[in-house]
Amino acid sequence: MPGTSEQIARLREEGLAALAAACTESELLAAKGRFFGKKGAVSEILKGIASLPAEERKAVGAEANRVRAELEAVFDSRLAGIREGERLAREGRDRLDVTLPGRALPPGHRHPISRTMSDIIAVFRRLGFSVQGGPDVEKDYYNFEALNFPPEHPARDMQDTFYVESRDGDLVLRTHTSPIQIRTMEKTRPPVRIIAPGAVYRSDSDITHSPMFHQVEGLAVDRDITFADLKGLLTEFCRMTFGPGKPLRFRPSYFPFTEPSAEVDIRCVICGGSGCRVCKDTGWLEILGAGMVDPAVFGFVGYDPEEYTGFAFGMGVERIAMLRHGISDIRLFFENDIRFLSQF
Ligand code: PHE
């Protein structure tokens, strides 16, 4: 047998190296089995002791036991080290610090069109008007016919109508909120004082037109309602919406359901009337269409035109929001770009 004490010294070196190289608990256990477990190399040496000359036995036995004890001590401390490392890794993964403040969700806010609509509604409610609604998919009868557009009237083309396929071919996406005038008068008797806000649809798209936009309709019917009442109401509406000192201008116009009809301009809110890009150097901005209810419309709802008169108006909500906020492209409202929307 080659020098047993050299063998033990080599086992010690190899055992220490194997323990140092082990990275996991099972690698560590494998090293233990190989070198100093019950059937490990050190045990084999101890078993062979009997065949050694008597004077060597004691020294070899003591040396083998000392090496086994040393390897066991190293094993224990490596095992503790590996377990600690695994614990730390696990904690890093599952770390939960209950003292951290919560992450606040940034609060959203209403869309500028929805806000402008609410503001317009609030002004008219204060002036004694109640709110009515109607369907977005509307009958041709309400959108056109009862509003005194005859079937082949060219104004139907002017409206850039979206027609909806249906059995009777009589459905459209409403092109304005005026059908709510008819729906309201069909179910109530005068006096009528209503506004009707809602989405409307026209096949039209550029920097000042969007295929879907919003209007607020107004209708007042009673005995002795005159054009002066319309002017007074709209003047007050503009004062409450745009502030004092903004004169209005009524320009003659045409709608089949009002007579006389007018388009109403407000003094340019950007330049104050001196002329700018927004008002195209006219000093005025168009904000709505209006007029006295045409007696023919009363005929469709069974109101006596000898007894009652009324006025109606319809304003574009996007238009008013653009003027209030100095926005030059209507499409910004519908692109959902947070950088735009968060400014309001
Ligand atoms: N409905 C018209 C439009 O959309 C506006 C209007 C409403 C005009 C009421 C007169 C009276 O253009």
Side-chain angles (χ1 to χ4, degrees):
M1 209 175 203
T4 314
S5 70
E6 280 149 45
Q7 243 183 44
I8 293 174
R10 210 177 58 235
L11 272 180
R12 177 179 172 275
E13 294 298 320
E14 287 174 10
L16 287 174
L19 290 176
C23 300
T24 65
E25 217 173 302
S26 65
E27 284 170 21
L28 206 58
L29 286 168
K32 174 178 178 172
R34 198 142 37 91
F35 293 98
F36 57 98
K38 278 201 188 83
K39 292 179 181 160
V42 177
S43 300
E44 292 305 313
I45 286 175
L46 286 170
K47 273 184 215 154
I49 266 179
S51 61
L52 289 176
E55 64 282 7
E56 285 182 26
R57 284 181 200 163
K58 201 174 167 201
V60 168
E63 181 62 6
N65 280 319
R66 202 190 56 71
V67 167
R68 174 153 62 190
E70 183 185 358
L71 291 175
E72 266 169 4
V74 171
F75 171 88
D76 287 346
S77 88
R78 286 285 297 140
L79 184 62
I82 283 172
R83 286 188 173 161
E84 175 69 1
E86 280 173 359
R87 190 182 66 78
L88 287 175
R90 203 165 46 239
E91 273 191 7
R93 266 197 311 276
D94 309 342
R95 181 181 228 94
L96 172 64
D97 182 348
V98 294
T99 66
L100 277 178
R103 291 191 194 94
L105 281 178
H109 62 72
R110 292 177 63 195
H111 192 277
I113 293 303
S114 154
R115 295 239 320 254
T116 301
M117 191 112 110
S118 298
D119 292 348
I120 295 169
I121 292 169
V123 166
F124 284 109
R125 289 186 89 108
R126 285 176 63 188
L127 295 168
F129 287 71
S130 63
V131 179
Q132 287 287 320
D136 290 27
V137 180
E138 185 56 280
K139 284 198 155 84
D140 180 282
Y141 177 79
Y142 290 109
N143 197 80
F144 292 123
E145 199 176 329
L147 286 163
N148 202 31
F149 291 83
E152 303 304 329
H153 195 287
R156 294 192 179 200
D157 291 334
M158 267 167 48
Q159 300 267 10
D160 302 314
T161 310
F162 286 112
Y163 289 88
V164 177
E165 277 184 29
S166 65
R167 192 154 32 92
D168 303 324
D170 63 344
L171 292 181
V172 299
L173 294 187
R174 67 180 176 200
T175 59
H176 51 179
T177 42
S178 300
I180 302 168
Q181 291 187 34
I182 305 298
R183 288 178 171 277
T184 303
M185 288 190 282
E186 270 185 351
K187 58 179 195 234
T188 49
R189 305 299 307 165
V192 172
R193 276 170 167 260
I194 59 111
I195 53 167
V200 301
Y201 307 85
R202 291 180 201 179
S203 177
D204 200 357
S205 186
D206 60 39
I207 68 163
T208 53
H209 296 89
S210 154
M212 188 280 306
F213 60 104
H214 299 82
Q215 289 187 334
V216 175
E217 190 82 8
L219 175 69
V221 182
D222 204 346
R223 294 191 176 87
D224 303 323
I225 296 238
T226 70
F227 206 97
D229 296 314
L230 173 63
K231 282 187 120 175
L233 178 76
L234 293 178
T235 303
E236 187 55 18
F237 164 75
C238 285
R239 197 187 62 75
M240 288 167 80
T241 303
F242 296 107
K246 301 271 184 328
L248 287 184
R249 177 172 85 164
F250 286 69
R251 276 182 294 112
S253 184
Y254 173 77
F255 300 102
F257 43 96
T258 47
E259 180 61 35
S261 302
E263 272 167 67
V264 179
D265 301 337
I266 181 178
R267 183 63 94 190
C268 180
V269 292
I270 309 293
C271 66
S274 57
C276 69
R277 196 174 54 86
V278 174
C279 63
K280 300 195 182 84
D281 285 324
T282 63
W284 296 96
L285 297 164
E286 184 190 330
I287 56 164
L288 56 85
M292 301 306 290
V293 178
D294 193 301
V297 172
F298 285 150
F300 281 95
V301 298
Y303 283 12
D304 180 357
E306 296 301 322
E307 188 175 358
Y308 295 111
T309 53
F311 62 73
F313 58 86
M315 63 182 77
V317 178
E318 280 76 5
R319 198 95 237 267
I320 289 176
M322 287 167 84
L323 296 179
R324 286 172 97 192
H325 300 297
I327 298 161
S328 53
D329 188 337
I330 195 174
R331 293 169 295 197
L332 288 166
F333 287 126
F334 306 116
E335 282 169 356
N336 282 345
D337 186 331
I338 222 76
R339 292 169 302 180
F340 170 76
L341 294 176
S342 61
Q343 296 175 58
F344 303 97

